[in-house]
Amino acid sequence: MRVSLSTSNLSFSAAPGQSLLDAALGASLNLPHSCKGGNCGSCRARLLEGEIYYPNGTPLGISPAEAADGYVLLCQARARGDVRIETFDITTPEQALIKRLPARIERAVPLSHDVMGIFLRLPAAESFRFEAGQYIDVMLSGGRRRSFSIASPPHDSRLLELHVRRVDGGEFSAPLFDGDRQGALLTIEGPLGQFVYRDRPGVPMLLIGGGTGIAPLLSILRHAVETGRRRDLTVYWGVRSERDLYARAALERATLEGAASSYVPVLSEAAPSWAGRRGFVHEAVLEDLADLGQYDVYTAGPPAMIAAIRHEFARRGADPARLYFDSFDSAPDALDRQRTRAVTKS
């Protein structure tokens, strides 16, 4: 089956039962996407010709009104035959191309009790250009992959910094925490994702992270500041407990040095001794900021946080066209293993 993009001369093949997004990525086309689970809506496209179906029913990330207008989610849609789609946010074919490269773990540094910072060195002879906010996939056996946002900025790409959260029994994270992986050789694909910094001088920016969703926001923050973009930057970071604030020093330093106008940590399971904000991070933003319409909003974190922000912020004046999302879903095979273990233990 042939999938054609109306906004360019690009096309690719899709196998029966293969999602349109997987088919595009397999053809090294970086179409807009984020969570790959049908929750965030980032891979929304308009179906112009042909017919698609969803094997698991209509995903949560698309509303009945959007579906009626011809929109589909590429990460879940399967083609019944040749189709033609209209995608968004890709400006040139060159920006859509993905590379597969070897990468060596230069060093691994514990950032918290369950987050490891790893620094990847790429081949000196290869150029790897990415935009602040994008991510890479680490390739595993059997064609499986794990996605990690790049925490380092594009102008300092000698080493790619990733933040890896430990997952119980995780195929990639568990060996990283349990053994010495320094010097290990990986295969990566990227850059991926359309969650990228938009250069709009003078427009204030609101960065909202949940958990390791702070990683791409650190890349955006450093890129905006260190390349001389003068933007008013406000950062909110939501985690469970105080020990999860692994980037606290860097964000506090950014505030002290004037790189960010304010940094607000929010704990959902705070200890009694915590003197700061409590609850959910998006609720703290809504309590503090009356006029969301003035901001470019960049938010990265778990699907529930993304869904709440999409729903609530537009009602409070935020421009939907300036709400940029990166949803951190677990990989489907990791979820399957977790479900299997839960059934076994029950």
Side-chain angles (χ1 to χ4, degrees):
M1 291 174 287
R2 203 71 190 163
V3 182
S4 304
L5 306 182
S6 67
T7 51
S8 69
N9 294 321
L10 299 173
S11 65
F12 55 93
S13 296
Q18 184 182 31
S19 76
L20 299 184
L21 177 61
D22 282 345
L25 295 177
S28 295
L29 292 177
N30 181 22
L31 297 188
H33 69 282
S34 177
C35 75
K36 302 181 185 176
N39 294 312
C40 71
S42 297
C43 65
R44 189 181 66 164
R46 190 187 294 274
L47 181 66
L48 301 178
E49 296 178 8
E51 185 180 353
I52 63 95
Y53 69 97
Y54 298 114
N56 300 312
T58 304
L60 295 176
I62 192 164
S63 69
E66 290 172 326
D69 284 340
Y71 288 101
V72 300
L73 292 190
L74 301 180
C75 70
Q76 302 300 308
R78 274 68 169 167
R80 296 194 186 277
D82 292 349
V83 298
R84 188 164 69 96
I85 58 175
E86 179 185 13
T87 61
F88 310 96
D89 289 332
I90 291 180
T91 56
T92 67
E94 290 75 16
Q95 288 181 307
L97 297 180
I98 302 167
K99 284 189 173 185
R100 177 174 286 206
L101 297 171
R104 192 174 298 278
I105 299 180
E106 180 94 349
R107 65 181 187 272
V109 181
L111 301 178
S112 74
H113 66 288
D114 67 347
V115 177
M116 184 79 71
I118 64 172
F119 296 81
L120 304 182
R121 184 170 294 280
L122 303 181
E126 289 281 357
S127 64
F128 185 80
R129 297 175 181 171
F130 67 94
E131 296 185 64
Q134 287 189 300
Y135 71 93
I136 62 170
D137 275 357
V138 175
M139 311 306 294
L140 305 178
S141 61
R144 293 183 297 277
R145 55 181 70 208
R146 294 294 180 266
S147 301
F148 299 101
S149 291
I150 304 170
S152 45
H155 62 275
D156 186 12
S157 58
R158 293 165 297 175
L159 293 176
L160 298 184
E161 179 183 351
L162 312 179
H163 297 171
V164 181
R165 182 177 298 282
R166 180 166 193 159
V167 176
D168 183 28
E171 187 175 355
F172 180 72
S173 66
L176 185 66
F177 281 81
D178 295 339
D180 183 8
R181 295 281 288 165
Q182 185 163 316
L185 190 63
L186 309 174
T187 299
I188 69 168
E189 278 192 359
L192 295 162
Q194 298 297 319
F195 180 73
V196 297
Y197 171 76
R198 276 82 169 173
D199 192 16
R200 288 161 47 82
V203 177
M205 296 172 61
L206 177 58
L207 310 183
I208 308 169
T212 52
I214 199 65
L217 302 183
L218 288 172
S219 178
I220 289 172
L221 189 153
R222 286 191 57 192
H223 176 70
V225 171
E226 295 174 14
T227 56
R229 272 75 169 174
R230 293 302 172 190
R231 308 279 298 270
D232 181 62
L233 275 158
T234 301
V235 183
Y236 282 76
W237 186 20
V239 296
R240 288 184 178 178
S241 64
E242 192 169 0
R243 68 174 183 168
D244 297 313
L245 295 170
Y246 65 84
R248 182 179 193 171
L251 292 169
E252 289 176 347
R253 184 170 61 252
T255 304
L256 288 173
E257 294 174 354
S261 58
S262 64
Y263 153 59
V264 182
V266 184
L267 306 188
S268 61
E269 300 177 8
S273 59
W274 173 251
R277 302 294 291 278
R278 300 167 181 264
F280 294 116
V281 65
H282 73 281
E283 293 175 346
V285 175
L286 292 172
E287 290 172 3
D288 293 350
L289 304 178
D291 180 17
L292 292 177
Q294 64 179 309
Y295 294 98
D296 282 353
V297 181
Y298 295 81
T299 179
M305 185 192 85
I306 299 296
I309 289 174
R310 289 184 69 194
H311 182 259
E312 297 294 337
F313 279 35
R315 296 172 58 185
R316 290 283 296 272
D319 182 353
R322 292 161 55 202
L323 288 173
Y324 309 116
F325 303 103
D326 193 6
S327 182
F328 279 37
D329 270 1
S330 296
D333 59 296
L335 287 172
D336 288 342
R337 287 199 303 276
Q338 290 170 3
R339 294 188 188 105
T340 300
R341 283 197 297 273
V343 169
T344 303
K345 292 177 180 178
S346 62

